[in-house]
Amino acid sequence: MTATQVKVKIISNRKIKNNCWRLELDSGAIARSASPGQFLEIKVCDEGLPLLRRPISIHGVNGSRVQLIYEVVGSGTRVLSGRRKGEFLDIIGPLGKGFEYGRKPVGKSVLVAGGMGVAPLLFLARRLKPAKPLVLIGAGSKEQLLCLQEFKAFGCRMAIATDDGSAGFKGKVTEMLDRLLREMPDAGRPGNIYACGPQPMLKAVAKICRGHNISSQLSLERHMACGFGACLGCVVSTKSGYKRVCKEGPVFKGEELVW
């Protein structure tokens, strides 16, 4: 999968909830080569600040259309939220190593999303659609939950956890994961667990999976200056040494990481 630098037309860029936006782009080149777990490096403006590109996970692909969701948390994403339909963005991608799932997904899989971690997992759910994965989504409250209807549209089984108990299980999504695995018979246990979310959540997922002897694939979030491994600004410790999240990741096996 070769990354390319292209000028991409904005189809839509709209607010979907709180500070979260959905950006849809027209790029057959990116759509054809993109894989779940990969990301794009986006130059949010042609002139002035911010100078650095912003890395955003690929949320979905539909024909030549590429969907992203992002949260406005700083100057870069604030500028991006102001870009309009019909404008063009300078983009490099797709970048990074995505999830491993096979050409014809079989067996039971569980997807664990924390907050904005739903972004790459919806793309993965579409590729896993024949196997109907179980999707666990966690958020602080009911109002912060994202993409529930989209996962349902792919036929996914779902369970929800909220910190305040306003929807679904009251507590962390990792607590719900551990409970579900403990209650599952050995024959019904998943072969793979895929997760994306805040680092404390991913660390907990890795620990839980080790305890249940289940393989995990975790999509890490890091600040990335370049996106192709040149600056070494996003390294993470693994059992085989330091690796770059933007190049050898962002998806790593949970058992490989040193927390």
Side-chain angles (χ1 to χ4, degrees), residues 66-115:
V66 180
Q67 296 97 28
L68 315 173
I69 61 171
Y70 63 96
E71 186 176 14
V72 176
V73 294
S75 60
T77 46
R78 191 174 300 112
V79 171
L80 183 59
S81 70
R83 302 301 300 268
R84 297 291 178 252
K85 176 182 177 180
E87 295 180 354
F88 286 80
L89 292 171
D90 187 305
I91 290 177
I92 300 175
L95 295 165
K97 181 179 75 69
F99 295 103
E100 298 175 3
Y101 54 89
R103 291 184 178 273
K104 294 182 178 180
V106 294
K108 297 179 174 65
S109 297
V110 175
L111 280 57
V112 185

Short mmCIF file of all heavy atoms in Angstrom, two decimals, residues 66-115:
data_model
loop_
_atom_site.label_atom_id
_atom_site.label_comp_id
_atom_site.label_asym_id
_atom_site.label_seq_id
_atom_site.Cartn_x
_atom_site.Cartn_y
_atom_site.Cartn_z
N VAL A 66 -13.83 9.02 1.04
CA VAL A 66 -13.08 8.65 2.25
C VAL A 66 -13.64 9.48 3.41
O VAL A 66 -13.70 10.71 3.32
CB VAL A 66 -11.58 8.93 2.09
CG1 VAL A 66 -10.82 8.55 3.35
CG2 VAL A 66 -11.03 8.17 0.89
N GLN A 67 -14.05 8.79 4.48
CA GLN A 67 -14.61 9.50 5.64
C GLN A 67 -13.63 9.50 6.81
O GLN A 67 -12.96 8.50 7.07
CB GLN A 67 -15.92 8.85 6.09
CG GLN A 67 -17.05 8.90 5.08
CD GLN A 67 -17.18 7.64 4.26
OE1 GLN A 67 -16.84 6.55 4.70
NE2 GLN A 67 -17.69 7.77 3.04
N LEU A 68 -13.60 10.63 7.50
CA LEU A 68 -12.80 10.79 8.70
C LEU A 68 -13.69 11.39 9.77
O LEU A 68 -14.60 12.16 9.46
CB LEU A 68 -11.60 11.73 8.47
CG LEU A 68 -10.76 11.56 7.21
CD1 LEU A 68 -9.76 12.70 7.11
CD2 LEU A 68 -10.02 10.23 7.24
N ILE A 69 -13.44 11.05 11.04
CA ILE A 69 -14.05 11.83 12.11
C ILE A 69 -12.91 12.33 13.01
O ILE A 69 -11.91 11.65 13.18
CB ILE A 69 -15.11 11.06 12.93
CG1 ILE A 69 -14.53 9.83 13.61
CG2 ILE A 69 -16.29 10.70 12.08
CD1 ILE A 69 -15.51 9.19 14.60
N TYR A 70 -13.07 13.51 13.53
CA TYR A 70 -12.03 14.11 14.36
C TYR A 70 -12.67 14.99 15.43
O TYR A 70 -13.82 15.42 15.30
CB TYR A 70 -11.05 14.92 13.50
CG TYR A 70 -11.67 16.11 12.79
CD1 TYR A 70 -11.61 17.39 13.33
CD2 TYR A 70 -12.30 15.95 11.55
CE1 TYR A 70 -12.17 18.48 12.67
CE2 TYR A 70 -12.85 17.03 10.89
CZ TYR A 70 -12.79 18.29 11.45
OH TYR A 70 -13.34 19.37 10.80
N GLU A 71 -11.90 15.23 16.47
CA GLU A 71 -12.36 16.08 17.57
C GLU A 71 -11.57 17.37 17.55
O GLU A 71 -10.36 17.37 17.37
CB GLU A 71 -12.15 15.35 18.90
CG GLU A 71 -12.72 16.09 20.09
CD GLU A 71 -12.57 15.31 21.38
OE1 GLU A 71 -11.81 14.32 21.40
OE2 GLU A 71 -13.22 15.67 22.37
N VAL A 72 -12.27 18.49 17.71
CA VAL A 72 -11.61 19.79 17.75
C VAL A 72 -11.02 19.97 19.14
O VAL A 72 -11.74 20.17 20.13
CB VAL A 72 -12.60 20.93 17.42
CG1 VAL A 72 -11.91 22.29 17.58
CG2 VAL A 72 -13.13 20.77 16.01
N VAL A 73 -9.68 19.86 19.21
CA VAL A 73 -9.00 19.93 20.51
C VAL A 73 -7.89 20.98 20.54
O VAL A 73 -7.35 21.27 21.61
CB VAL A 73 -8.39 18.56 20.90
CG1 VAL A 73 -9.49 17.55 21.16
CG2 VAL A 73 -7.44 18.06 19.82
N GLY A 74 -7.54 21.53 19.40
CA GLY A 74 -6.45 22.51 19.35
C GLY A 74 -6.56 23.36 18.11
O GLY A 74 -7.55 23.32 17.37
N SER A 75 -5.50 24.14 17.85
CA SER A 75 -5.54 25.08 16.75
C SER A 75 -5.67 24.40 15.39
O SER A 75 -6.39 24.88 14.51
CB SER A 75 -4.29 25.96 16.77
OG SER A 75 -3.11 25.17 16.63
N GLY A 76 -4.97 23.27 15.20
CA GLY A 76 -5.02 22.59 13.91
C GLY A 76 -6.39 22.07 13.56
O GLY A 76 -6.91 22.31 12.46
N THR A 77 -7.00 21.33 14.48
CA THR A 77 -8.34 20.79 14.21
C THR A 77 -9.39 21.90 14.18
O THR A 77 -10.41 21.77 13.50
CB THR A 77 -8.72 19.73 15.26
OG1 THR A 77 -8.40 20.21 16.58
CG2 THR A 77 -7.96 18.44 15.01
N ARG A 78 -9.14 22.99 14.89
CA ARG A 78 -10.07 24.14 14.81
C ARG A 78 -10.05 24.74 13.42
O ARG A 78 -11.11 25.07 12.85
CB ARG A 78 -9.69 25.19 15.86
CG ARG A 78 -10.75 26.28 16.04
CD ARG A 78 -10.40 27.20 17.19
NE ARG A 78 -10.31 26.47 18.45
CZ ARG A 78 -9.18 26.28 19.12
NH1 ARG A 78 -8.05 26.80 18.66
NH2 ARG A 78 -9.17 25.61 20.24
N VAL A 79 -8.86 24.88 12.85
CA VAL A 79 -8.75 25.38 11.47
C VAL A 79 -9.42 24.41 10.51
O VAL A 79 -10.16 24.80 9.60
CB VAL A 79 -7.27 25.60 11.08
CG1 VAL A 79 -7.16 25.90 9.58
CG2 VAL A 79 -6.67 26.75 11.89
N LEU A 80 -9.19 23.11 10.71
CA LEU A 80 -9.77 22.09 9.84
C LEU A 80 -11.30 22.15 9.87
O LEU A 80 -11.96 22.00 8.83
CB LEU A 80 -9.29 20.70 10.25
CG LEU A 80 -9.76 19.53 9.39
CD1 LEU A 80 -9.32 19.70 7.94
CD2 LEU A 80 -9.24 18.21 9.96
N SER A 81 -11.87 22.39 11.03
CA SER A 81 -13.33 22.45 11.14
C SER A 81 -13.93 23.62 10.36
O SER A 81 -15.12 23.64 10.07
CB SER A 81 -13.75 22.53 12.61
OG SER A 81 -13.41 23.79 13.18
N GLY A 82 -13.08 24.59 10.02
CA GLY A 82 -13.56 25.74 9.25
C GLY A 82 -13.45 25.57 7.75
O GLY A 82 -13.91 26.43 6.99
N ARG A 83 -12.86 24.46 7.30
CA ARG A 83 -12.76 24.22 5.87
C ARG A 83 -14.12 23.80 5.31
O ARG A 83 -14.87 23.08 5.96
CB ARG A 83 -11.70 23.15 5.58
CG ARG A 83 -10.31 23.49 6.09
CD ARG A 83 -9.77 24.79 5.50
NE ARG A 83 -9.66 24.73 4.06
CZ ARG A 83 -8.56 24.35 3.41
NH1 ARG A 83 -7.47 23.98 4.10
NH2 ARG A 83 -8.53 24.33 2.10
N ARG A 84 -14.41 24.21 4.09
CA ARG A 84 -15.75 24.08 3.55
C ARG A 84 -15.83 23.17 2.32
O ARG A 84 -14.84 22.90 1.65
CB ARG A 84 -16.29 25.47 3.16
CG ARG A 84 -16.43 26.42 4.35
CD ARG A 84 -17.56 25.96 5.27
NE ARG A 84 -17.68 26.82 6.45
CZ ARG A 84 -17.35 26.47 7.67
NH1 ARG A 84 -16.83 25.27 7.89
NH2 ARG A 84 -17.52 27.30 8.69
N LYS A 85 -17.06 22.73 2.04
CA LYS A 85 -17.35 21.92 0.86
C LYS A 85 -16.82 22.60 -0.39
O LYS A 85 -16.99 23.80 -0.59
CB LYS A 85 -18.86 21.72 0.76
CG LYS A 85 -19.32 20.96 -0.48
CD LYS A 85 -20.84 20.87 -0.50
CE LYS A 85 -21.31 20.17 -1.77
NZ LYS A 85 -22.81 20.07 -1.81
N GLY A 86 -16.14 21.81 -1.24
CA GLY A 86 -15.61 22.34 -2.48
C GLY A 86 -14.17 22.79 -2.40
O GLY A 86 -13.50 22.94 -3.43
N GLU A 87 -13.67 23.02 -1.18
CA GLU A 87 -12.26 23.38 -1.01
C GLU A 87 -11.39 22.13 -1.15
O GLU A 87 -11.89 20.99 -1.11
CB GLU A 87 -12.04 24.04 0.34
CG GLU A 87 -12.75 25.37 0.50
CD GLU A 87 -12.51 26.01 1.87
OE1 GLU A 87 -11.87 25.36 2.73
OE2 GLU A 87 -12.97 27.14 2.07
N PHE A 88 -10.07 22.35 -1.29
CA PHE A 88 -9.15 21.24 -1.44
C PHE A 88 -8.17 21.19 -0.27
O PHE A 88 -7.74 22.23 0.24
CB PHE A 88 -8.37 21.36 -2.76
CG PHE A 88 -9.19 21.03 -3.97
CD1 PHE A 88 -10.06 21.96 -4.50
CD2 PHE A 88 -9.11 19.77 -4.55
CE1 PHE A 88 -10.83 21.65 -5.62
CE2 PHE A 88 -9.87 19.45 -5.66
CZ PHE A 88 -10.74 20.40 -6.21
N LEU A 89 -7.84 19.98 0.15
CA LEU A 89 -6.86 19.75 1.21
C LEU A 89 -5.66 19.00 0.65
O LEU A 89 -5.82 18.08 -0.16
CB LEU A 89 -7.47 18.94 2.36
CG LEU A 89 -8.55 19.61 3.19
CD1 LEU A 89 -9.19 18.58 4.14
CD2 LEU A 89 -7.98 20.77 3.99
N ASP A 90 -4.47 19.39 1.10
CA ASP A 90 -3.24 18.69 0.74
C ASP A 90 -3.06 17.53 1.72
O ASP A 90 -2.93 17.74 2.92
CB ASP A 90 -2.06 19.66 0.82
CG ASP A 90 -0.77 19.04 0.29
OD1 ASP A 90 -0.39 17.97 0.79
OD2 ASP A 90 -0.14 19.64 -0.58
N ILE A 91 -3.07 16.30 1.20
CA ILE A 91 -3.07 15.11 2.05
C ILE A 91 -1.98 14.13 1.62
O ILE A 91 -1.73 13.93 0.43
CB ILE A 91 -4.44 14.42 2.00
CG1 ILE A 91 -5.48 15.29 2.71
CG2 ILE A 91 -4.40 13.03 2.62
CD1 ILE A 91 -6.88 14.74 2.66
N ILE A 92 -1.34 13.52 2.61
CA ILE A 92 -0.42 12.41 2.37
C ILE A 92 -1.02 11.16 3.01
O ILE A 92 -1.40 11.17 4.18
CB ILE A 92 0.97 12.67 2.97
CG1 ILE A 92 1.59 13.94 2.36
CG2 ILE A 92 1.89 11.48 2.74
CD1 ILE A 92 2.90 14.33 3.00
N GLY A 93 -1.10 10.08 2.23
CA GLY A 93 -1.65 8.87 2.81
C GLY A 93 -2.07 7.87 1.73
O GLY A 93 -1.96 8.15 0.54
N PRO A 94 -2.57 6.72 2.15
CA PRO A 94 -2.68 6.28 3.55
C PRO A 94 -1.33 5.89 4.13
O PRO A 94 -0.47 5.40 3.41
CB PRO A 94 -3.63 5.08 3.47
CG PRO A 94 -3.46 4.56 2.07
CD PRO A 94 -3.15 5.75 1.20
N LEU A 95 -1.18 6.10 5.43
CA LEU A 95 0.09 5.86 6.11
C LEU A 95 -0.08 4.85 7.25
O LEU A 95 -1.18 4.67 7.79
CB LEU A 95 0.63 7.17 6.68
CG LEU A 95 1.03 8.25 5.66
CD1 LEU A 95 1.21 9.59 6.36
CD2 LEU A 95 2.29 7.86 4.92
N GLY A 96 1.04 4.23 7.64
CA GLY A 96 1.05 3.35 8.79
C GLY A 96 0.61 1.92 8.50
O GLY A 96 0.17 1.58 7.40
N LYS A 97 0.76 1.09 9.51
CA LYS A 97 0.35 -0.32 9.45
C LYS A 97 -0.98 -0.48 10.15
O LYS A 97 -1.14 -0.10 11.31
CB LYS A 97 1.40 -1.21 10.12
CG LYS A 97 1.06 -2.71 10.07
CD LYS A 97 2.15 -3.55 10.72
CE LYS A 97 2.09 -3.44 12.23
NZ LYS A 97 0.88 -4.10 12.80
N GLY A 98 -1.94 -1.03 9.45
CA GLY A 98 -3.28 -1.19 10.01
C GLY A 98 -3.49 -2.52 10.71
O GLY A 98 -2.54 -3.23 11.05
N PHE A 99 -4.75 -2.85 10.92
CA PHE A 99 -5.14 -4.10 11.58
C PHE A 99 -4.94 -5.30 10.66
O PHE A 99 -5.10 -5.20 9.44
CB PHE A 99 -6.61 -4.04 12.01
CG PHE A 99 -6.91 -3.00 13.05
CD1 PHE A 99 -7.53 -1.81 12.69
CD2 PHE A 99 -6.60 -3.21 14.38
CE1 PHE A 99 -7.82 -0.85 13.65
CE2 PHE A 99 -6.89 -2.26 15.34
CZ PHE A 99 -7.49 -1.08 14.97
N GLU A 100 -4.61 -6.43 11.24
CA GLU A 100 -4.51 -7.68 10.51
C GLU A 100 -5.80 -8.47 10.74
O GLU A 100 -6.19 -8.71 11.88
CB GLU A 100 -3.30 -8.48 10.99
CG GLU A 100 -1.96 -7.78 10.75
CD GLU A 100 -0.79 -8.55 11.35
OE1 GLU A 100 -1.03 -9.66 11.88
OE2 GLU A 100 0.34 -8.06 11.28
N TYR A 101 -6.45 -8.88 9.66
CA TYR A 101 -7.72 -9.58 9.82
C TYR A 101 -7.98 -10.62 8.74
O TYR A 101 -8.94 -11.37 8.81
CB TYR A 101 -8.88 -8.58 9.86
CG TYR A 101 -8.92 -7.65 8.67
CD1 TYR A 101 -9.60 -7.98 7.52
CD2 TYR A 101 -8.25 -6.44 8.71
CE1 TYR A 101 -9.63 -7.15 6.43
CE2 TYR A 101 -8.27 -5.58 7.63
CZ TYR A 101 -8.96 -5.93 6.50
OH TYR A 101 -8.97 -5.08 5.43
N GLY A 102 -7.16 -10.70 7.70
CA GLY A 102 -7.36 -11.69 6.65
C GLY A 102 -8.33 -11.22 5.59
O GLY A 102 -9.19 -10.37 5.83
N ARG A 103 -8.21 -11.77 4.41
CA ARG A 103 -9.06 -11.36 3.29
C ARG A 103 -10.50 -11.80 3.48
O ARG A 103 -11.44 -11.13 3.06
CB ARG A 103 -8.52 -11.93 1.98
CG ARG A 103 -7.19 -11.30 1.55
CD ARG A 103 -6.75 -11.85 0.20
NE ARG A 103 -5.51 -11.21 -0.22
CZ ARG A 103 -5.44 -10.08 -0.88
NH1 ARG A 103 -6.55 -9.43 -1.19
NH2 ARG A 103 -4.27 -9.57 -1.25
N LYS A 104 -10.70 -12.96 4.09
CA LYS A 104 -12.05 -13.47 4.35
C LYS A 104 -12.17 -13.70 5.85
O LYS A 104 -11.90 -14.80 6.35
CB LYS A 104 -12.31 -14.76 3.58
CG LYS A 104 -12.34 -14.57 2.07
CD LYS A 104 -12.66 -15.87 1.36
CE LYS A 104 -12.72 -15.66 -0.15
NZ LYS A 104 -13.04 -16.92 -0.86
N PRO A 105 -12.56 -12.65 6.62
CA PRO A 105 -12.60 -12.76 8.07
C PRO A 105 -13.51 -13.89 8.54
O PRO A 105 -14.64 -14.04 8.09
CB PRO A 105 -13.15 -11.40 8.50
CG PRO A 105 -12.86 -10.49 7.36
CD PRO A 105 -12.96 -11.32 6.14
N VAL A 106 -12.99 -14.71 9.43
CA VAL A 106 -13.78 -15.79 10.02
C VAL A 106 -13.52 -15.80 11.53
O VAL A 106 -12.58 -15.19 12.01
CB VAL A 106 -13.39 -17.17 9.43
CG1 VAL A 106 -13.75 -17.24 7.96
CG2 VAL A 106 -11.91 -17.44 9.63
N GLY A 107 -14.36 -16.49 12.25
CA GLY A 107 -14.18 -16.59 13.69
C GLY A 107 -14.75 -15.39 14.41
O GLY A 107 -15.21 -14.42 13.82
N LYS A 108 -14.69 -15.45 15.71
CA LYS A 108 -15.27 -14.41 16.56
C LYS A 108 -14.24 -13.32 16.86
O LYS A 108 -13.11 -13.62 17.22
CB LYS A 108 -15.79 -15.03 17.86
CG LYS A 108 -16.92 -16.04 17.65
CD LYS A 108 -17.36 -16.62 18.97
CE LYS A 108 -18.57 -17.53 18.79
NZ LYS A 108 -18.25 -18.71 17.96
N SER A 109 -14.65 -12.08 16.71
CA SER A 109 -13.80 -10.94 17.01
C SER A 109 -14.55 -9.96 17.89
O SER A 109 -15.78 -9.84 17.79
CB SER A 109 -13.35 -10.23 15.72
OG SER A 109 -12.58 -11.07 14.91
N VAL A 110 -13.80 -9.26 18.73
CA VAL A 110 -14.37 -8.22 19.57
C VAL A 110 -13.64 -6.91 19.30
O VAL A 110 -12.40 -6.88 19.26
CB VAL A 110 -14.25 -8.57 21.08
CG1 VAL A 110 -14.75 -7.42 21.95
CG2 VAL A 110 -15.05 -9.84 21.39
N LEU A 111 -14.39 -5.84 19.09
CA LEU A 111 -13.84 -4.51 18.88
C LEU A 111 -14.13 -3.68 20.11
O LEU A 111 -15.29 -3.65 20.58
CB LEU A 111 -14.46 -3.85 17.65
CG LEU A 111 -13.93 -4.24 16.26
CD1 LEU A 111 -14.04 -5.73 16.01
CD2 LEU A 111 -14.67 -3.47 15.17
N VAL A 112 -13.12 -3.04 20.65
CA VAL A 112 -13.28 -2.23 21.87
C VAL A 112 -12.89 -0.80 21.56
O VAL A 112 -11.74 -0.51 21.22
CB VAL A 112 -12.41 -2.78 23.02
CG1 VAL A 112 -12.70 -2.00 24.31
CG2 VAL A 112 -12.65 -4.27 23.24
N ALA A 113 -13.85 0.11 21.68
CA ALA A 113 -13.63 1.52 21.35
C ALA A 113 -13.86 2.40 22.57
O ALA A 113 -14.87 2.27 23.25
CB ALA A 113 -14.57 1.96 20.23
N GLY A 114 -12.91 3.28 22.81
CA GLY A 114 -13.06 4.26 23.88
C GLY A 114 -13.11 5.65 23.29
O GLY A 114 -12.16 6.10 22.65
N GLY A 115 -14.24 6.35 23.44
CA GLY A 115 -14.35 7.72 22.93
C GLY A 115 -14.14 7.79 21.43
O GLY A 115 -14.80 7.11 20.65
#
